Amino acid sequence: MELFVTVIVTFFAGMGAGLGTGVAGMSAAAVISPMLITFLGIEPFMAVGIALSSDVLASAVSAYTYGKNKNLDIKNGSIMMVTVLIFTMVGSYVSSLVPSNTMGGFSVVMTFLLGIKFIVKPVMTTKESMGSISVRRRVIQSIACGIIIGFICGFVGAGGGMMMLLILTSVLGYELKTAVGTSVFIMTFTAFTGAVSHFAIGGKPDWLIMGLCIAFTFMWARIAALFANKAQPKTLNRITGLILVILGLVIMLFNLI
């Protein structure tokens, strides 16, 4: 019975995380962490580590799919990635020093509000208009934003993907598909760094739970990314917003439970 519950919980956690990652570039940890904590009794710090490890392959396969469809900006994304990586480790260390109940609340609210934003005010930027931003300005913005995103990602194990999506679309002027593709590209490396940091500090994870989370998240992220790259911009905005709103509400419910 215990194994059955574990499989069911990890399946739905992976489904929610995979859909969020593949369509919206959301960190898998935003969904997986609260579900592991609530239903399987996993210690919060370790739950974040497992969730981040699930993010690695899910983000990688999503980034590959977006890149294959020419919706990935590796050059500019790499600049932000370096800064994010450094401050993910800093955030991960700081998170081990604070009470567990301070972790995650920000990312839940962020997920919900960003979902509303995409529904009410869709991102209709084109790839042509992306080129109007100067290289120097984008580099400076990428470094500054990378510091904030990296710390948040490492500290709460979630929110990094949402922060990147918001910044790439609203601050750096990316169209939605390229923003998601670039976000999951960066999240592949930040998630790996965050997972290693968490396990180095907190010890070994539950291998069965981690393996199931990784497999289910990977599967659903692949399906979601394939769909997202074929969708029209306005449709993708609405679907992205709807997924974020639903996930935000579900996670809030989990936290209340």
Side-chain angles (χ1 to χ4, degrees), residues 135-250:
V135 175
R136 182 174 179 274
R137 178 185 172 188
R138 180 159 287 173
V139 168
I140 294 174
Q141 289 176 330
S142 295
I143 294 174
C145 295
I147 293 173
I148 299 172
I149 294 169
F151 185 83
I152 291 173
C153 181
F155 183 73
V156 302
M162 289 297 89
M163 286 292 292
M164 274 188 279
L165 187 60
L166 177 63
I167 288 171
L168 289 172
T169 54
S170 301
V171 179
L172 299 182
Y174 279 60
E175 58 94 23
L176 185 56
K177 289 184 182 180
T178 304
V180 174
T182 305
S183 176
V184 290
F185 166 72
I186 297 172
M187 284 302 297
T188 302
F189 300 94
T190 59
F192 177 78
T193 305
V196 170
S197 298
H198 272 68
F199 295 146
I201 296 169
K204 295 180 180 179
D206 184 308
W207 298 110
L208 174 62
I209 292 176
M210 187 173 80
L212 289 172
C213 286
I214 290 174
F216 291 137
T217 305
F218 175 86
M219 178 180 71
W220 284 103
R222 173 63 172 165
I223 294 172
L226 286 171
F227 168 78
N229 278 277
K230 295 179 180 179
Q232 293 298 316
K234 184 170 288 188
T235 301
L236 183 59
N237 270 272
R238 289 173 177 170
I239 293 174
T240 299
L242 184 61
I243 288 177
L244 295 178
V245 169
I246 292 174
L247 290 176
L249 290 173
V250 170

Side-chain angles (χ1 to χ4, degrees), residues 53-64:
S53 68
S54 303
D55 224 345
V56 179
L57 287 180
S59 294
V61 72
S62 297
Y64 170 78

